[in-house]
Amino acid sequence: MTDKPHLPLPHLVVVGNGMAGCRAVEEILARDPAKFRITIFGAEPRVNYNRIMLSPLLAGDKSFEDIVINDHAWYTDNAIDLVAGDPIVAIDRARRTVTARSGRVETYDKLLLATGSDPFIIPVPGHDLHGVVTFRDMDDVGAMLRAASAGGDAVVIGGGLLGLEAAHGLCLRGMRVTVLHLMPTLMERQLDEAAGWLLKEELERRGQAILTGADTAEIYGQGRVEGVRLKDGREIPASLIVMAVGIRPNVKLARDAGLAIGRGIHVDDHLVTSDADILAVGECVEHQGQVYGLVAPLWEMCRSLADGLVAIPNGYSGSVTSTKLKVSGIDVFSAGDFSGGEGCEDIVMRDASRGIYKRVVVKDDRLIGAVLYGDTQDGNWYFDLLRKQEDVASIRDALIFGQAFASGGGASANPNGAVAAMADDGEICGCNGISKGKVVAAIQGGACTLDAVRACTKASASCGSCTGLVEGLLAITMGEDYTGERAAPTACKCTSFTHEDVRRLIIEKSLKAIPQVMQELHWTTPDGCASCRPALNYYLLCAWPGEFVDDNQSRFVNERMHANIQKDGTYSVVPRMWGGVTNPKELRAIADVAEKYQARMVKVTGGQRLDIFGIKKEDLPSVWADLNAAGMVSGHAYAKALRTVKTCVGSEWCRFGTQDSTGLGIRIEQMTWGSFMPHKFKIAVSGCPRNCAEATIKDIGVICVDSGYELSIGGNGGIKLRGTDFLCKVATEQDALDYCAAFIQLYREEARYLDRTAPWVERVGIDYIRQRIVEDAAGRELLRARFHYSQSFMQNDPWAKRAAGEDWKLHQHLAEIRPAAALIARTLEVA
Amino acid sequence: MEPEWLDIGPVDQLPALGARTLPVQGGREIAIFHTANGGIYALANQCPHKAGPLSQGIVHDTTVTCPLHNWRISLVTGEALGEDKGCVPVIPVKVDGGRILISRAAALAGVA
Ligand SMILES: Cc1cc2nc3c(=O)[nH]c(=O)nc-3n(C[C@H](O)[C@H](O)[C@H](O)COP(=O)(O)OP(=O)(O)OC[C@H]3O[C@@H](n4cnc5c(N)ncnc54)[C@H](O)[C@@H]3O)c2cc1C
Ligand code: SF4
Ligand code: FES
């Protein structure tokens, strides 16, 4: 036992021997070492150590000795009584005592609660099996190290900071690790979608399996864990499960003692709880509605707490936090608010070749958030600007390039200053090794647009990250003459590339997912806009059938719901009627559906199909189930896709008919249904030149004649009426089918998203199309083959999947509020 | 006492970059949105233009594009962005322990 001073010093009892509790004591001692007699109770049987270093400890970069903050000597030297391994179980505020588990009772004058948080455990079946651990203290690390020494498979539930550090450690210890994360991107609270995606790619490269959107249903095993089963039925075998899904302030003691509690223990600006003699600090507190899970705010709290105790008024006013991921070789930094919003401006820089993504958010000339991936050197600088709320207006243009650049003067006044100041042999385009001199020479030689410079020097034609520099050179070299206009419009305001560039680069660089395209092509917004998202989704679908990662949320609502949204928010449904032909069974099914779901109208469309109007979103799956049961599938009337093939009755019935136009129409529809296109697409087949199917205003029109089939293209009955251009005449039905397939594929591969065939044909010219489809037989054959390959993935009825329950949530309300009934929300979670 | 915040269900019931609806008996329907960064927002499910169901629009950054005529509406302020003028009521929401809580008073505003 230590020698206590004789003076009857007031007794400070600290509950919690962790990061905050001990730091608070250090701060108090620094101000007045003789103010209190101090006793610290700790639940863990050890001295105060650095909890954040548990990750490097697990990874093998540190030993326990390295992470001790205060050893036994510190307690002795400061006359602190440490009671380790004996948690406090009760507080008696009236008598001002605390009781420990062992029965020991201690009287206090001031009590400090620093009980930290408890890791959250998802209460799925099996969560209490042997082999399920959390990641919070030394004992958890011990359990993980024992499991790792036996090798095998580990599952980490939770892809946040903690989970990824645990996964990294276990990986280095030789386990095969799978990370299960509920959200679509990792660390979604610290990183935006783009950075989260880069992180996932890197971890996967390192051999971890990362399953996002993975919802744990149960942990199975006999006595000890054998694996995890997901709600979608997948099973992942594992002998160790680490739950790292979040933490909860540990408020049990305080609650039992009757202190004011919200999410954490309520404290004022001096960290005093609702009882003037009880203080609280660390993760267990709630200050002005905030709870914190990082150490930096705790340090600030501890300072204010100590100041308050020695009567220096210096209240705590909340903290701004930043995080870094402690996984060696992966640099990730995030600070402040980067969720964007009103008046916020995003500045994004992507350098695909070096794997760097940076984003800063500026509002009212102040930095409010930053996310850095791959290069976190400037993290502290940004964090400083953010905390001090410095005015960044003068360095706004150079902000994203970091401290060295932004503080270097010159650059800030004139955005082109930096490039003007470059030497002639300075490199502009890293991908192609093009110097400033070469670009300037090209411009002086007459390349006066970005496209022209790209064409003659290749600068900015690869990854595009130097586009700004090239534009700067154009402006400097041409002065007034440079309008900044590009010959072809960019795909949207989020990129400097044209639609054609984007499509070409998707193939050249094998890009298969939207976040990947945005990273590699230096998108200037964090997650695109309502124009580019659907376009990119289509370009990927077209370029990589069967391989691309579809993003349902990037589809227009009609395609997401597989039905047409109408002006009152209800939907209309169009079942496919091949070639416009139907029969009593189908008509009966449609009539039944119309009655059963109270459709408000059934109408024959311009394309010879029946449209059922006024269906509620919730009813759509059952409507489709009923139509499917009668053998009908989706007519894709909602999609940028093949909609209808209109036909006349042709030789079968009509006295003028030369060929079986109905039969051919059905065969064309069976070949092309389900294929997504840049825009809606319609075909018609008429049995003779009287053209009753109005084939000459369709995207493809077929006119049957005695000697064969006349094909014409690019017609449009829309706002701007356009008759088709004659393409060619073919002899057989099979030829007609093959030419159609080839033409459709050319349109799918080369038109801009939301171009119908008419403007596209006008832009490229009918001669070009003839040359590709009629004259180049080998090319036509390749186009046809690519179309059929793509169709092998596309021809399945989207209704059937939905009717079977896929994405059923999309059709349901999240919950319902009924003010009359007890005023509580009734959740409709259960199917 | 009536609760100030109503629990309307877990966050993971919302697709990222998507939205779902919350009908209010006797009142106007609410749309709950989920942004790429995991932000949760709520607006009346009616575009200020021609009452399009905003819940069915494409979500990007902190805006939603109305499915009927492409007005862009801020999820934060409810204001129409760009050239368009108009505003939808914003309903305060917060997330606690993975659950979405919605301001009872704002959700029931306008209920007789
Ligand atoms: C693996 C890991 C990595 C982390 N990495 C980072 C990082 O990189 N950066 C960062 O800023 N933060 C990080 N953190 C978070 C950081 O460690 C915490 O924010 C910090 O430790 C909180 O301090 P605290 O004192 O409030 O709680 P703790 O440090 O948890 O201390 C609370 C202590 O109270 C004890 N206790 C609880 N109840 C009782 C009782 N009834 N009687 C006696 N004792 C009790 C507990 O045993 C514990 O020792 C990490 C956390 C973990 C687990
Ligand atoms: S297009 Fe010719 S074959 Fe077809 S219905 Fe009209 S007249 Fe008869
Ligand atoms: S650096 Fe990549 S195109 Fe110039």
Side-chain angles (χ1 to χ4, degrees):
Chain A
M1 281 260 58
T2 9
D3 259 357
K4 303 274 162 59
H6 292 299
L7 287 169
L9 290 179
H11 190 195
L12 171 68
V13 173
V14 181
V15 184
N17 187 33
M19 306 279 280
C22 285
R23 174 55 84 96
V25 169
E26 286 177 26
E27 293 280 352
I28 294 169
L29 292 174
R31 280 164 186 69
D32 186 353
K35 176 130 185 125
F36 292 108
R37 175 166 73 87
I38 300 173
T39 306
I40 302 181
F41 282 87
E44 292 179 62
R46 45 186 80 87
V47 293
N48 170 227
Y49 61 91
N50 190 346
R51 193 172 307 284
I52 71 180
M53 287 298 155
L54 287 178
S55 304
L57 186 79
L58 177 65
D61 297 338
K62 297 259 184 254
S63 68
F64 183 69
E65 289 68 42
D66 296 332
I67 73 168
V68 167
I69 302 177
N70 289 307
D71 56 12
H72 282 289
W74 176 79
Y75 294 90
T76 318
D77 293 348
N78 291 292
I80 298 167
D81 208 354
L82 170 65
V83 187
D86 194 6
I88 295 297
V89 293
I91 303 172
D92 184 335
R93 285 166 56 199
R95 293 170 47 214
R96 296 213 278 187
T97 59
V98 291
T99 308
R101 190 170 57 194
S102 63
R104 174 170 173 165
V105 176
E106 200 74 47
T107 313
Y108 66 80
D109 295 294
K110 289 277 179 198
L111 179 64
L112 172 59
L113 302 177
T115 48
S117 351
D118 289 326
F120 185 64
I121 296 180
I122 334 172
V124 289
H127 69 268
D128 45 6
L129 284 175
H130 194 65
V132 180
V133 300
T134 56
F135 190 17
R136 181 73 199 172
D137 59 25
M138 273 303 295
D139 295 332
D140 295 332
V141 174
M144 284 191 240
L145 291 180
R146 277 194 301 283
S149 65
D153 296 285
V155 164
V156 175
I157 305 182
L161 205 69
L162 225 53
L164 295 181
E165 292 184 3
H168 173 65
L170 293 171
C171 230
L172 290 184
R173 298 281 180 176
M175 296 191 87
R176 271 187 308 274
V177 182
T178 304
V179 178
L180 305 181
H181 192 54
L182 190 59
M183 291 301 173
T185 56
L186 294 175
M187 286 178 66
E188 77 287 346
R189 281 192 297 171
Q190 291 85 22
L191 302 182
D192 59 8
E193 195 189 16
W197 176 81
L198 285 170
L199 179 59
K200 176 165 184 265
E201 292 250 302
E202 175 60 30
L203 293 173
E204 282 170 343
R205 242 193 313 279
R206 293 173 171 217
Q208 296 180 21
I210 313 269
L211 304 182
T212 49
D215 199 353
T216 305
E218 116 175 89
I219 297 171
Y220 60 87
Q222 301 287 332
R224 60 166 303 125
V225 298
E226 286 161 26
V228 175
R229 188 170 298 113
L230 299 182
K231 289 213 174 125
D232 62 14
R234 273 181 290 179
E235 284 185 5
I236 302 121
S239 53
L240 173 72
I241 313 268
V242 181
M243 284 234 198
V245 291
I247 54 173
R248 273 208 183 134
N250 179 356
V251 298
K252 186 171 183 311
L253 260 185
R255 174 175 290 131
D256 292 348
L259 296 177
I261 309 274
R263 278 198 292 159
I265 306 169
H266 279 300
V267 292
D268 67 10
D269 291 352
H270 300 285
L271 290 304
V272 178
T273 67
S274 56
D275 179 329
D277 289 326
I278 305 183
L279 299 114
V281 70
E283 281 185 349
C284 60
V285 309
E286 174 178 333
H287 174 260
Q288 288 181 359
Q290 291 291 320
V291 297
Y292 296 95
L294 292 168
V295 294
L298 313 186
W299 295 168
E300 293 173 20
M301 286 180 202
C302 288
R303 277 198 291 277
S304 299
L305 175 138
D307 284 347
L309 280 177
V310 297
I312 308 172
N314 174 22
Y316 175 65
S317 54
S319 301
V320 192
T321 56
S322 71
T323 21
K324 268 188 168 168
L325 181 69
K326 300 190 298 297
V327 170
S328 42
I330 302 186
D331 296 320
V332 179
F333 171 89
S334 138
D337 177 9
F338 52 89
S339 57
E342 227 38 53
C344 290
E345 199 189 348
D346 276 308
I347 310 172
V348 177
M349 189 189 100
R350 303 176 192 246
D351 182 339
S353 53
R354 290 190 298 148
I356 289 172
Y357 170 81
K358 296 185 186 183
R359 174 174 172 211
V360 297
V361 185
V362 175
K363 184 177 189 176
D364 301 333
D365 291 333
R366 315 263 179 245
L367 190 68
I368 61 162
V371 182
L372 309 177
Y373 184 94
D375 174 4
T376 50
Q377 228 180 343
D378 286 308
N380 291 339
W381 180 65
Y382 288 125
F383 190 48
D384 234 36
L385 290 176
L386 196 151
R387 268 200 313 200
K388 296 188 182 139
Q389 286 294 289
E390 275 176 32
D391 190 318
V392 294
S394 61
I395 51 169
R396 155 80 184 64
D397 289 320
L399 197 55
I400 195 75
F401 301 111
Q403 182 172 20
F405 195 75
S407 320
S412 49
N414 172 3
N416 290 328
V419 55
M422 277 174 74
D424 260 3
D425 58 0
E427 190 171 79
I428 295 285
C429 173
C431 299
N432 298 294
I434 310 295
S435 66
K436 174 180 165 188
K438 281 196 203 156
V439 175
V440 171
I443 298 169
Q444 284 163 346
C448 50
T449 61
L450 181 59
D451 285 323
V453 173
R454 280 181 176 169
C456 67
T457 66
K458 290 220 87 11
S460 142
S462 301
C463 77
S465 66
C466 56
T467 305
L469 295 176
V470 173
E471 283 172 335
L473 286 176
L474 280 161
I476 295 166
T477 317
M478 296 171 58
E480 303 267 282
D481 294 340
Y482 180 57
T483 54
E485 292 291 308
R486 297 197 56 190
T490 61
C492 75
K493 62 177 184 359
C494 309
T495 176
S496 65
F497 284 116
T498 62
H499 284 273
E500 287 74 16
D501 289 336
V502 172
R503 301 203 72 166
R504 172 177 57 81
L505 290 165
I506 281 176
I507 294 177
E508 275 178 22
K509 292 170 172 277
S510 275
L511 308 179
K512 299 185 182 168
I514 288 179
Q516 198 181 15
V517 176
M518 290 184 176
Q519 171 66 17
E520 294 286 324
L521 303 189
H522 306 273
W523 239 242
T524 56
T525 48
D527 50 5
C529 68
S531 324
C532 59
R533 293 192 74 99
L536 290 182
N537 204 46
Y538 169 73
Y539 292 156
L540 291 169
L541 170 151
C542 179
W544 306 108
E547 292 174 58
F548 82 110
V549 183
D550 188 44
D551 178 9
N552 204 31
Q553 298 306 341
S554 293
R555 291 177 176 277
F556 185 64
V557 53
N558 283 358
E559 286 186 9
R560 241 180 300 137
M561 285 290 163
H562 309 301
N564 275 350
I565 193 163
Q566 300 298 348
K567 62 184 279 187
D568 63 351
T570 64
Y571 288 81
S572 76
V573 168
V574 183
R576 203 165 277 292
M577 281 179 183
W578 308 97
V581 175
T582 184
N583 59 37
K585 183 178 171 220
E586 291 181 352
L587 290 171
R588 212 171 279 125
I590 290 174
D592 286 346
V593 158
E595 224 166 51
K596 184 164 159 196
Y597 301 97
Q598 292 164 13
R600 297 215 302 278
M601 180 164 82
V602 180
K603 183 180 183 310
V604 179
T605 68
Q608 300 176 333
R609 305 294 185 271
L610 285 170
D611 199 349
I612 313 166
F613 284 88
I615 303 289
K616 291 199 271 311
K617 187 176 71 178
E618 313 74 286
D619 286 339
L620 287 171
S622 11
V623 165
W624 298 327
D626 290 2
L627 293 170
N628 277 170
M632 305 181 86
V633 298
S634 166
H636 286 87
Y638 44 80
K640 308 277 178 262
L642 173 86
R643 298 211 170 161
T644 54
V645 181
K646 192 175 180 181
T647 60
C648 72
V649 293
S651 58
E652 187 101 339
W653 298 90
C654 177
R655 63 204 164 99
F656 301 108
T658 62
Q659 312 273 2
D660 175 16
S661 52
T662 313
L664 176 57
I666 292 173
R667 280 184 283 282
I668 293 181
E669 187 163 351
Q670 280 170 346
M671 173 178 83
T672 42
W673 77 282
S675 59
F676 282 91
M677 314 257 192
H679 210 303
K680 63 183 172 189
F681 197 94
K682 299 175 179 181
I683 302 177
V685 186
S686 285
C688 83
R690 285 175 181 76
N691 191 14
C692 293
E694 295 161 340
T696 45
I697 51 161
K698 297 287 184 269
D699 295 286
I700 295 181
V702 182
I703 309 270
C704 305
V705 290
D706 266 334
S707 51
Y709 304 82
E710 291 176 359
L711 307 180
S712 65
I713 53 154
N716 191 347
I719 300 175
K720 198 165 156 240
L721 186 71
R722 183 180 195 274
T724 47
D725 289 322
F726 176 73
L727 180 67
C728 64
K729 189 176 146 197
V730 296
T732 68
E733 214 180 83
Q734 190 57 49
D735 285 344
L737 286 165
D738 290 350
Y739 279 65
C740 279
F743 171 74
I744 288 172
Q745 187 65 10
L746 187 65
Y747 167 62
R748 295 180 76 228
E749 288 179 3
E750 298 192 357
R752 297 174 192 154
Y753 193 65
L754 296 190
D755 261 353
R756 287 204 59 181
T757 53
W760 172 62
V761 168
E762 281 181 4
R763 195 167 58 242
V764 300
I766 182 70
D767 291 339
Y768 169 75
I769 311 254
R770 260 193 217 118
Q771 182 256 314
R772 293 287 304 268
I773 305 293
V774 186
E775 288 151 32
D776 177 2
R780 175 179 68 237
E781 174 50 27
L782 287 174
L783 283 166
R784 187 197 67 84
R786 284 206 292 279
F787 179 70
H788 285 289
Y789 175 71
S790 159
Q791 283 297 82
S792 66
F793 300 96
M794 299 313 298
Q795 289 197 316
N796 43 38
D797 178 30
W799 287 356
K801 289 192 207 151
R802 281 292 168 86
E806 189 179 284
D807 285 332
W808 65 272
K809 277 184 203 167
L810 293 180
H811 298 271
Q812 303 288 315
H813 295 304
L814 179 62
E816 191 180 335
I817 297 183
R818 306 179 170 201
L823 292 158
I824 38 168
R826 193 170 71 94
T827 52
L828 301 173
E829 267 169 64
V830 278
Chain B
M1 212 185 64
E2 286 156 355
E4 198 184 325
W5 294 92
L6 298 178
D7 183 335
I8 55 168
V11 176
D12 59 51
Q13 300 269 321
L14 276 171
L17 285 173
R20 290 184 64 192
T21 45
L22 178 71
V24 178
Q25 245 181 37
R28 68 179 173 229
E29 186 163 283
I30 297 169
I32 319 281
F33 299 88
H34 194 179
T35 64
N37 296 326
I40 301 285
Y41 300 90
L43 300 179
N45 192 19
Q46 276 189 347
C47 179
H49 177 216
K50 297 210 165 159
L54 295 174
S55 58
Q56 306 297 318
I58 288 184
V59 176
H60 47 101
D61 209 350
T62 47
T63 57
V64 59
T65 298
C66 176
L68 292 194
H69 312 97
N70 290 332
W71 277 34
R72 252 184 343 118
I73 311 292
S74 160
L75 297 177
V76 182
T77 62
E79 300 271 356
L81 302 175
E83 300 294 285
D84 300 319
K85 292 279 166 285
C87 191
V88 226
V90 178
I91 295 99
V93 277
K94 60 182 187 182
V95 174
D96 192 1
R99 315 240 355 144
I100 306 170
L101 305 181
I102 192 161
S103 157
R104 185 183 156 273
L108 293 180
V111 175

